Amino acid sequence: MDQQQHSNWKCPQCGLNDIGGDKIKCPRCGKKRNRWGYWDCASCQTKGIRADHKECPGCGRPRDRKVKFYLRDDLIEFVDEVSGNDAVRIRKANWICPYCQQQNDDAVQVCAYCGANRSESTEKYHDVKKEPEPKPAPAKPKTKKKSGCLLATIIMGAFFGIMFIIAGISTAIDKASSKKVRTADLTDAYWETNVYIEELKTFEGNDWELPADARLLRTATEQYEYVDHYERRSREVWVDDDDDWDDDDDWDWGGGDDWDDGGWEDYGDGQFGVFQMPFPLTACTVQPGAVLMRYETEYYDEPIYASEPRTKYYYEYDQWVDGRLLTTNGKPGTEPYFADVVLGEKEREQGRTTDYYISFLYKDEQVRLNVPADVFNDVTKEQQLAFRCDITESKKDPVFFVQSGGQEYECRNVLVHIDDSDLDFGY
């Protein structure tokens, strides 16, 4: 949505003048600006009528008392910026010819279809189109009203209190889980060696300069576009500090990623105000702070481009890229070895690695860890593993600490990062 410039305004509450258009709240008394909502005419389907207009500018039909107001994404109008007379002219209702029953515009006095005089017409278009009012629902027995605000406060306080307790219990469980040492039987163990082979390939490229290691294919005169200079610009950007802790460690309530996504509250009279919690919260010592939704002036340097004819070079060059991977694997008790390497004319060896893997079940899930060689040799002799699992960082990707020889080694579950089929060696 394009951001819009907004005029300075006067606070209707304390009278402070010339408040910047980028401010949504009076800096003296805290009074917030309201924003106009819009409605659609159900009779002639005119869209986006501002709420301060009581009649449709298309057909003149009065606004329904039960109309649903909404915010527009393409237009932002604050209540203090506009009056009810600056929009489209409100026409009177179109009229219905009593002879041919055709609709005629308010501006004409003679029916365009049969020539009858308008003075004989007593029916208006919106009256004819008016739908019957629904029958009122049977009255319910009156009950004694209770304090909704107090009840809502109790419910919200209890909710946040429960959430705080659950969070505390979850944290305690996570910490306890990270300290508990478990044992598991190995389901698999193997070593794996890899030899990485690179291949020299030829590619084509083009640039305004010829690289030193390139072979020229051809040249062409083309328009070269470049930044001639920069010009300082400013724009109004809408800032929403939702879901962040401010400098005072208070929660910023009432934000949202969009104008009407939690940031604006429908007052029911065609105006929308900045959303704020309707009552103070005491649970978890969290209090609603001021809604930090506002315009800010952002300055930036806009590049101004120019162009001129230059020589462009088209060339080819050679580059080493990933080629083959030679892999061998074996069971515990066998000595790791590398595959025999026979290099082609445009190949070279890039590197070699040896990895050791152990697998076991944890909470009915298969876990595969890449462990040091000493740990591999130690745990595979017993076919049992002592470990602890730390889920405080991520429950989906826990950290495993393997214990061996009086020491502890941090290991990640490779099955979380590597597809299981990539590690299937047929045994």
Side-chain angles (χ1 to χ4, degrees):
M1 180 184 67
D2 295 334
Q3 301 296 344
Q4 299 165 318
Q5 299 283 349
H6 291 278
S7 60
N8 290 0
W9 56 289
K10 177 181 178 179
C11 178
Q13 182 165 288
C14 69
L16 181 63
N17 262 316
D18 204 28
I19 304 173
D22 61 331
K23 305 296 183 184
I24 199 171
K25 184 172 67 172
C26 174
R28 176 191 288 171
C29 68
K31 174 70 175 177
K32 300 180 183 68
R33 306 180 82 177
N34 287 350
R35 182 181 169 193
W36 280 119
Y38 302 86
W39 59 282
D40 298 337
C41 178
S43 180
C44 67
Q45 308 305 314
T46 299
K47 306 290 185 183
I49 307 167
R50 206 172 63 212
D52 56 338
H53 299 299
K54 310 297 184 183
E55 297 175 321
C56 172
C59 68
R61 179 174 182 170
R63 189 179 70 203
D64 193 292
R65 290 184 295 108
K66 299 180 180 180
V67 72
K68 175 69 174 178
F69 296 106
Y70 61 89
L71 293 176
R72 289 174 57 172
D73 292 331
D74 61 335
L75 182 62
I76 301 166
E77 294 179 295
F78 288 109
V79 173
D80 48 67
E81 285 185 318
V82 295
S83 66
N85 299 319
D86 66 344
V88 180
R89 177 182 65 87
I90 304 297
R91 298 201 309 265
K92 294 182 180 179
N94 293 354
W95 57 280
I96 304 296
C97 177
Y99 294 95
C100 65
Q101 302 301 313
Q102 295 294 325
Q103 180 188 168
N104 289 272
D105 190 271
D106 170 66
V108 300
Q109 301 301 315
V110 177
C111 177
Y113 300 90
C114 69
N117 195 294
R118 177 181 179 178
S119 60
E120 300 180 34
S121 173
T122 58
E123 293 183 310
K124 297 180 180 179
Y125 170 72
H126 60 72
D127 291 334
V128 174
K129 298 290 288 184
K130 187 173 182 180
E131 299 175 356
E133 290 289 336
K135 294 182 179 180
K140 295 182 179 179
K142 293 185 178 180
T143 57
K144 187 177 179 180
K145 292 184 179 180
K146 295 182 179 180
S147 175
C149 184
L150 177 60
L151 180 61
T153 303
I154 295 173
I155 293 174
M156 289 299 294
F159 171 76
F160 281 100
I162 292 172
M163 292 301 294
F164 178 76
I165 294 172
I166 292 175
I169 293 174
S170 178
T171 302
I173 292 175
D174 291 349
K175 289 183 178 180
S177 176
S178 66
K179 295 179 180 180
K180 183 177 180 179
V181 178
R182 296 175 169 84
T183 59
D185 295 329
L186 299 185
T187 58
D188 194 14
Y190 63 91
W191 52 260
E192 179 182 277
T193 65
N194 291 290
V195 180
Y196 299 90
I197 307 298
E198 288 185 328
E199 180 182 1
L200 186 64
K201 286 191 172 183
T202 300
F203 300 90
E204 290 189 3
N206 60 82
D207 205 343
W208 300 103
E209 295 182 358
L210 183 66
D213 57 348
R215 299 181 294 275
L216 181 64
L217 298 176
R218 62 186 178 88
T219 61
T221 301
E222 300 180 12
Q223 285 297 120
Y224 173 73
E225 190 177 68
Y226 61 94
V227 177
D228 183 66
H229 63 281
Y230 291 88
E231 292 186 1
R232 195 68 168 171
R233 298 277 192 267
S234 67
R235 57 191 171 201
E236 297 299 308
V237 295
W238 190 251
V239 179
D240 176 7
D241 296 328
D242 180 39
D243 294 341
D244 283 321
W245 293 95
D246 61 20
D247 294 337
D248 297 326
D249 289 336
D250 291 329
W251 191 257
D252 298 331
W253 293 92
D257 295 331
D258 206 348
W259 283 89
D260 55 351
D261 182 16
W264 295 93
E265 180 181 4
D266 186 357
Y267 289 161
D269 60 354
Q271 296 186 24
F272 287 72
V274 177
F275 174 81
Q276 199 168 23
M277 295 300 287
F279 49 83
L281 299 178
T282 56
C284 311
T285 68
V286 178
Q287 300 293 334
V291 180
L292 299 182
M293 298 178 65
R294 63 190 183 279
Y295 275 114
E296 280 190 357
T297 302
E298 179 182 82
Y299 294 93
Y300 65 99
D301 293 321
E302 180 178 329
I304 306 300
Y305 291 89
S307 63
E308 63 183 22
R310 283 193 184 181
T311 299
K312 196 166 192 177
Y313 300 89
Y314 290 82
Y315 53 84
E316 63 179 15
Y317 63 98
D318 297 327
Q319 182 174 319
W320 290 101
V321 296
D322 291 338
R324 297 181 291 147
L325 175 64
L326 305 178
T327 299
T328 62
N329 52 74
K331 289 292 188 177
T334 62
E335 190 68 24
Y337 64 90
F338 292 95
D340 295 332
V341 178
V342 179
L343 297 176
E345 182 180 354
K346 292 186 176 182
E347 289 185 328
R348 70 181 183 184
E349 186 176 319
Q350 192 271 337
R352 300 187 175 201
T353 60
T354 302
D355 294 297
Y356 300 87
Y357 296 97
I358 57 174
S359 299
F360 58 97
L361 288 177
Y362 173 67
K363 294 186 179 297
D364 297 326
E365 295 288 340
Q366 187 74 13
V367 175
R368 180 173 290 139
L369 304 181
N370 187 335
V371 298
D374 293 342
V375 175
F376 180 81
N377 294 328
D378 185 22
V379 300
T380 52
K381 290 178 181 177
E382 302 294 332
Q383 288 296 305
Q384 195 173 62
L385 173 69
F387 70 97
R388 64 183 181 89
C389 178
D390 188 350
I391 60 176
T392 55
E393 181 180 341
S394 171
K395 293 185 179 181
K396 293 184 178 180
D397 186 13
V399 180
F400 290 89
F401 294 88
V402 177
Q403 297 182 352
S404 175
Q407 295 187 9
E408 196 170 66
Y409 302 87
E410 179 179 337
C411 306
R412 289 279 181 175
N413 183 6
V414 298
L415 292 182
V416 174
H417 311 284
I418 303 175
D419 186 77
D420 195 23
S421 61
D422 295 337
L423 298 173
D424 185 8
F425 299 99
Y427 57 80

